[in-house]
């Protein structure tokens, strides 16, 4: 992988001070000078504050930890050293929403030591980027060797002013699969990150974390007024983090934008992760895939062995035939293995096999048939959150896939707790998900997680981490009240800030005529097409049944739209209302655009200034048909073509819960 250095990576570290009034106060500014971090010791306790331009974002806020035995690692400090440095590089993603990413920041490293008998040391690292700030804690090896038990993190984010927060609750049975709500920061309880806030001053803020390794996930809890406090997800015994001798927390991040759309094209989270560690990434290339999947969710098939079994050799060969005929090359088959029962999703220690095929299914035969047709199988491991069972078999299961030439695996963790004991987001879960990711790399497997911890940018370090669920996806439209139309206009500004999502778009029969009575997709077919642009993932499912694609002209857009991008631009958007996104194909001169709206129909004027000013394009437009919205002929897609240039403005009409998808082909 090529790396382009804009400057010599790290300049000479120097000790700095900024205030003659307080010798224990220091300031760090981003390269453009807009974002500033102020650090100081106040009565021997570390404090930090953040500003953007003339706007104070975070008033002085607490830092540190509470250790076991009520030992306070947040006060009684003195500064031993302060060093500042700068870093500037441009690196290339193996795959991604943007090919070349600039990583440019100024850094302040503060070495602290307590004055008490243990003289514990604590290092705090601050980084200021043009799109936000970050800091983390490093607890180095001490003179006194002991096991460290973190009982609480003292970090607070003391927002200077209130704002509208877009949030989902933390530590609940359905993990992170909840609908986002909006409420003032001052009214929040305990919430998951990314937490997006539209401040009263007009700034867009996102609170999250990056490079989460061997630590607990950070949630946020409102303590008083507009103050948010870090609340680490605990082990079942109440301890938050347990380590030996040393620890490094994840980066606490605040992305800052002038408008919400700026948050989407911030790459701060990725930049805070380590470079690619995998020597071989050639086995994974971004793709689109079909699946024996939606049929089970809508009740046409079953996951388990029955007279309606979905995963049979016969069904697999039929799906492979369709996949090959339409020019695609990947197929997911769920329920292929032994262990599925009608109660597979309930909270108990299910016993799945990861090597034995279900009755009526022959894995080796299906793989061989797929190979003849140029269709690769995507493996599936549903653990049921019984990790005791899974970890006994994971090597054997991965080895089977490698033997058969399979290079992708979807891994599910249905259950409110791992092993019916530990929360997915706690240190136990963090370590488990990283372990499996690294284990998969040993077998040349790309991983798609469902019911997992949130993304914190590890795809930069391990590019075999290709996507995850970590939110309410399409499946909720099959068997619940469904996702309301505004859901799709919220998640690009919230959940998707953390990384790619396997939402599973592409339902053409949005009324789900073969499904459960009263259940449907709350949007139009044209909106489903637009999701391939507004929702980023290097793998995208075409989730509907083959018969619902057969003979449909709109399928052409799914054939054309790529999943690997040179560049991404969010042209406009308002959280919960609408979003228009344009992306350039990494492997051609084509641009693609997706525009979606909530339940309200709207007209959108799209400036095409992102196109090559010297070129002419054919705009291939897939839009809501006249009179179409969620409840009126929602499957109707109007297809048209138009010659356009960068100087043009396209006028689009989006029906209620509708959308438009466009391919701009250079001519």
């Amino acid at each position: 992988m090529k790396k382009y250095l804009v400057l010599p990576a790290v300049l000479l570290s120097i000790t700095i001070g900024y205030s003659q009034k307080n010798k224990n106060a220091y300031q760090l500014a981003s390269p453009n000078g807009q974002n500033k971090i102020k650090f100081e010791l106040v009565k021997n306790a570390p404090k930090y504050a953040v500003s953007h331009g003339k706007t104070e974002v975070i008033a002085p806020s607490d830092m540190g930890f509470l250790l076991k035995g009520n030992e306070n690692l947040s006060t009684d400090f003195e500064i031993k050293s302060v060093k500042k440095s700068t870093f500037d590089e441009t690196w290339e993603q193996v795959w991604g929403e943007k090919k070349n990413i600039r990583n440019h920041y100024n850094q302040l490293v503060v070495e602290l030591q307590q004055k008490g008998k243990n003289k514990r040391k604590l290092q705090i690292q601050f980084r200021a980027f043009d799109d936000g700030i970050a800091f983390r804690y490093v607890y180095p090896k001490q003179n006194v060797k002991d096991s460290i038990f973190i009982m609480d993190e003292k970090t607070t984010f003391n927002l200077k002013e209130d704002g509208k927060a877009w949030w989902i609750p933390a530590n609940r049975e359905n993990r992170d699969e909840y609908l986002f709500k909006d409420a003032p920061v001052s009214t929040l309880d305990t919430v998951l990150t990314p937490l997006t806030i539209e401040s009263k001053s007009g700034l867009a803020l996102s609170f999250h974390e990056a490079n989460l390794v061997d630590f607990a996930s950070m949630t946020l809890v409102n303590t008083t007024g507009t103050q948010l406090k870090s609340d680490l997800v605990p082990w079942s015994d109440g301890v938050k983090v347990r380590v030996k001798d040393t620890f490094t927390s994840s980066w606490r991040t605040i992305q800052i934008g002038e408008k919400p759309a700026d948050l989407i094209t911030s790459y701060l989270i990725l930049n805070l992760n380590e470079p690619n560690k995998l020597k071989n990434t050639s086995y994974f290339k971004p793709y689109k895939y079909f699946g024996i999947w939606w049929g089970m969710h809508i009740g046409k098939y079953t996951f388990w062995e029955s007279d309606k079994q979905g995963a049979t050799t016969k069904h697999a060969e039929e799906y492979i035939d369709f996949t090959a005929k339409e020019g695609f090359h990947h197929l997911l088959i769920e329920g292929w293995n032994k262990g599925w029962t009608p109660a597979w999703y309930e909270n108990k220690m299910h016993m799945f096999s990861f090597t034995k095929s279900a009755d009526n299914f022959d894995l080796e035969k299906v793989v061989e048939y797929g190979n003849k047709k140029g269709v690769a199988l995507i493996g599936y491991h549903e653990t049921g959150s019984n990790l005791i069972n899974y970890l006994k078999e994971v090597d054997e299961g991965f080895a089977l896939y490698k033997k058969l030439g399979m290079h992708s695996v979807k891994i599910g963790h249905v259950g409110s707790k791992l092993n019916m004991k530990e929360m997915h987001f706690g240190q136990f879960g963090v370590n488990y998900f990283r372990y499996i990711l690294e284990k998969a790399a040993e077998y040349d497997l790309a991983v798609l997680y469902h019911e997992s911890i949130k993304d914190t940018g590890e795809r930069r370090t391990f590019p075999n981490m290709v996507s995850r669920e970590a939110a309410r996806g399409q499946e909720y439209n099959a068997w619940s009240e469904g996702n309301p139309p505004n859901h799709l206009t919220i998640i690009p500004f919230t959940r998707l800030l953390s990384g790619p999502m396997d939402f599973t778009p592409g339902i053409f029969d949005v009324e789900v005529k073969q499904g459960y009575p009263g259940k449907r997709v709350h949007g139009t077919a044209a909106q489903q097409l637009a999701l391939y642009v507004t929702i980023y993932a290097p793998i995208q499912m075409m989730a509907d049944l083959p018969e619902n694609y057969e003979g449909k002209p709109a399928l052409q857009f799914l054939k054309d739209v790529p999943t690997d991008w040179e560049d991404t631009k969010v042209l406009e958007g308002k959280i919960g209302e609408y979003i228009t996104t344009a992306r350039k194909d990494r492997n051609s001169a084509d641009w693609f655009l997706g525009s979606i709206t909530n339940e309200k129909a709207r007209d959108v004027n799209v400036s095409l200034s992102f196109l090559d000013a010297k070129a002419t394009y054919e705009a291939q437009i897939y839009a809501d048909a006249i009179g179409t919205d969620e409840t009126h002929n929602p499957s109707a897609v109007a297809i048209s073509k138009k010659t356009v240039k960068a100087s043009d403005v396209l006028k689009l009409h989006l029906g209620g819960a509708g959308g438009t998808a466009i391919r701009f082909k250079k001519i």
Side-chain angles (χ1 to χ4, degrees):
M1 182 175 66
K2 296 180 180 177
K3 182 180 288 186
Y4 306 90
L5 294 182
V6 180
L7 288 177
V10 181
L11 300 186
L12 180 66
S13 296
I14 55 173
T15 302
I16 60 141
Y18 97 100
S19 173
Q20 293 183 347
K21 294 182 180 179
N22 183 354
K23 65 179 181 178
N24 289 322
Y26 302 87
Q27 183 169 284
L28 181 72
S30 60
N32 68 2
Q34 279 287 90
N35 298 320
K36 294 180 180 179
I37 305 168
K38 178 183 177 182
F39 172 82
E40 59 184 333
L41 280 187
V42 179
K43 297 181 179 178
N44 301 321
K47 306 278 185 180
Y48 78 100
V50 178
S51 60
H52 175 81
K54 296 181 180 179
T55 303
E56 188 175 4
V57 178
I58 303 292
S61 298
D62 297 338
M63 309 188 82
F65 298 92
L66 181 67
L67 306 182
K68 192 173 183 179
N70 214 31
E71 185 177 355
N72 195 347
L73 193 62
S74 66
T75 190
D76 194 33
F77 282 112
E78 60 181 348
I79 296 175
K80 303 301 288 186
S81 71
V82 178
K83 294 180 180 180
K84 184 183 180 184
S85 59
T86 190
F87 186 85
D88 193 357
E89 68 170 357
T90 296
W91 59 278
E92 181 181 319
Q93 290 202 84
V94 176
W95 48 263
E97 63 275 58
K98 185 178 176 67
K99 183 178 180 181
N100 295 312
I101 293 177
R102 190 178 185 187
N103 183 15
H104 189 194
Y105 61 82
N106 291 327
Q107 177 168 275
L108 181 72
V109 178
V110 182
E111 302 276 0
L112 302 173
Q113 185 170 14
Q114 289 186 312
K115 301 174 184 178
K117 64 174 185 177
N118 287 331
K119 296 191 178 300
R120 293 193 186 272
K121 299 175 182 178
L122 184 66
Q123 181 187 100
I124 307 177
Q125 301 174 353
F126 296 92
R127 290 183 183 176
F129 299 80
D130 291 344
D131 53 345
I133 67 96
F135 61 88
R136 70 176 175 183
Y137 303 96
V138 177
Y139 181 87
K141 288 188 177 182
Q142 315 281 318
N143 292 328
V144 179
K145 290 188 176 182
D146 58 354
S147 295
I148 305 299
F149 296 86
I150 297 176
M151 305 307 294
D152 191 24
E153 182 176 338
K154 297 279 194 170
T155 304
T156 59
F157 304 88
N158 190 12
L159 275 78
K160 184 65 176 178
E161 58 185 9
D162 212 336
K164 181 189 287 188
W166 300 87
W167 64 277
I168 54 175
N171 307 331
R172 301 289 181 88
E173 183 175 2
N174 286 336
R175 304 162 307 276
D176 43 18
E177 296 179 16
Y178 291 90
L179 292 173
F180 281 87
K181 298 179 181 179
D182 62 276
V185 174
S186 55
T187 67
L188 298 182
D189 192 349
T190 306
V191 300
L192 286 172
T193 68
L195 175 69
T196 300
I197 296 171
E198 294 180 279
S199 69
K200 285 188 174 180
S201 64
L203 293 177
L205 310 172
S206 175
F207 293 79
H208 192 42
E209 56 186 318
N211 199 9
L212 175 59
V213 182
D214 195 19
F215 210 74
S217 297
M218 179 185 74
T219 66
L220 296 173
V221 60
N222 177 264
T223 52
T224 179
T226 56
Q227 184 179 92
L228 300 172
K229 179 186 172 298
S230 171
D231 188 25
L232 300 176
V233 178
W235 289 77
S236 56
D237 63 1
V239 175
K240 301 296 179 71
V241 175
R242 41 170 44 96
V243 293
K244 189 169 180 62
D245 294 336
T246 182
F247 69 81
T248 299
S249 76
S250 54
W251 291 94
R252 281 74 186 92
T253 63
I254 308 174
Q255 288 159 282
I256 304 172
E258 299 289 335
K259 56 186 184 301
D262 294 340
L263 300 175
I264 299 174
T265 51
S266 163
Y267 303 103
L268 181 149
I269 301 297
L270 283 175
N271 280 330
L272 288 164
N273 280 265
E274 298 299 318
N276 175 21
K277 289 185 177 180
L278 300 184
K279 294 180 180 179
N280 177 26
T281 60
S282 62
Y283 55 86
F284 173 76
K285 303 294 182 187
Y287 58 77
K288 289 162 290 189
Y289 68 100
F290 288 111
I292 299 179
W293 176 82
W294 186 242
M296 280 88 97
H297 281 283
I298 65 176
K300 180 180 180 180
Y301 302 132
T302 64
F303 285 96
W304 55 92
E305 295 154 333
S306 75
D307 57 359
K308 295 199 303 178
Q309 183 176 340
T312 66
T313 299
K314 180 176 181 293
H315 286 155
E317 291 179 348
E318 291 170 351
Y319 269 73
I320 288 170
D321 287 342
F322 175 78
T323 301
K325 177 171 71 76
E326 297 300 343
F328 297 97
H329 303 285
H330 290 84
L331 177 67
L332 169 72
I333 302 176
E334 299 202 2
W336 71 269
N337 55 322
K338 281 287 187 182
W340 293 85
T341 72
W344 70 271
Y345 55 88
E346 296 177 0
N347 278 322
K348 63 179 183 179
M349 298 289 276
H350 301 279
M351 296 295 292
F352 290 95
S353 169
F354 304 98
T355 56
K356 296 177 182 177
S357 294
D359 294 345
N360 304 314
F361 188 86
D362 186 325
L363 179 61
E364 286 79 4
K365 183 178 179 181
V366 170
V367 169
E368 183 180 359
Y369 189 81
N371 289 339
K372 291 177 181 177
K373 298 279 186 169
V375 176
L377 256 61
I378 301 168
Y380 184 54
H381 286 174
E382 176 52 62
T383 69
S385 286
N386 181 352
L387 305 188
I388 296 172
N389 176 55
Y390 186 49
L391 291 171
K392 288 178 181 177
E393 292 196 31
V394 66
D395 274 290
E396 194 176 356
F398 284 175
L400 174 62
Y401 286 161
K402 184 168 185 178
K403 174 186 173 184
L404 295 175
M406 298 165 62
H407 290 293
S408 301
V409 58
K410 176 180 176 180
I411 308 176
H413 305 85
V414 169
S416 58
K417 293 184 178 181
L418 301 174
N419 291 334
M420 305 302 113
K421 183 179 180 181
E422 302 291 349
M423 284 190 276
H424 290 60
F425 287 71
Q427 187 184 14
F428 174 84
V430 168
N431 289 345
Y432 158 76
F433 285 109
R434 180 60 66 98
Y435 171 80
I436 293 295
L437 182 61
E438 296 188 40
K439 175 69 67 176
E442 295 174 13
Y443 292 89
D444 292 345
L445 281 168
V447 175
L448 164 61
Y449 278 138
H450 274 230
E451 299 87 28
S452 68
I453 54 168
K454 58 191 175 183
D455 199 333
T456 61
E458 58 265 48
R459 61 191 167 110
R460 181 185 179 189
T461 312
F462 296 98
N464 66 321
M465 176 66 262
V466 295
S467 195
R468 69 187 75 203
E469 185 183 32
R472 274 178 68 120
Q474 186 86 268
E475 63 191 41
Y476 276 80
N477 292 319
W479 36 256
S480 78
E481 74 282 3
N483 300 321
N486 71 347
H487 182 62
L488 295 169
T489 61
I490 295 173
I491 58 174
F493 301 98
T494 52
R495 155 66 183 88
L496 289 169
L497 298 183
S498 68
M501 179 181 177
D502 189 46
F503 181 81
T504 63
I507 302 299
F508 278 18
D509 177 25
V510 291
E511 295 174 287
V512 195
K513 297 182 180 67
Q514 295 187 59
Y516 298 112
K519 309 303 180 188
R520 58 156 298 165
V521 175
H522 296 285
T524 68
Q527 184 187 71
Q528 288 286 306
L529 295 176
L531 297 181
Y532 288 83
V533 184
T534 62
I535 294 176
Y536 170 67
I539 60 172
Q540 291 276 26
M541 191 178 203
M542 294 163 291
D544 213 337
L545 305 174
E547 57 263 38
N548 292 331
Y549 293 120
E550 197 79 58
K552 298 291 174 57
L555 181 60
Q556 186 61 45
F557 183 80
L558 301 188
K559 294 181 178 182
D560 294 334
V561 66
T563 58
D564 197 16
W565 305 102
E566 179 85 21
D567 199 8
T568 290
K569 297 181 182 296
V570 181
L571 306 183
E572 58 178 338
K574 190 171 183 180
I575 305 176
E577 296 189 20
Y578 65 96
I579 184 172
T580 302
T581 303
R583 302 187 196 266
K584 185 185 179 298
D585 181 17
R586 186 183 285 211
N587 300 305
S588 76
D590 292 357
W591 281 83
F592 289 78
L593 181 142
S595 184
I596 63 172
T597 182
N598 59 8
E599 68 281 355
K600 180 182 177 182
R602 70 183 71 240
D603 295 311
V604 179
N605 294 323
V606 180
S607 168
L608 303 185
S609 57
F610 56 88
L611 297 175
D612 182 350
K614 299 178 182 179
T616 301
Y617 295 80
E618 180 183 75
Q620 301 167 0
I621 305 170
Y622 300 77
D624 296 315
I626 295 174
T628 289
D629 60 21
E630 179 188 352
T631 57
H632 298 89
N633 200 22
S635 294
V637 179
I639 303 174
S640 62
K641 296 180 180 180
K642 186 175 183 179
T643 301
V644 299
K645 293 184 177 181
S647 56
D648 292 336
V649 175
L650 269 187
K651 295 184 178 181
L652 309 178
H653 176 75
L654 313 179
T660 297
I662 305 175
R663 177 193 186 191
F664 296 96
K665 183 176 177 59
K666 187 179 283 191
I667 55 178

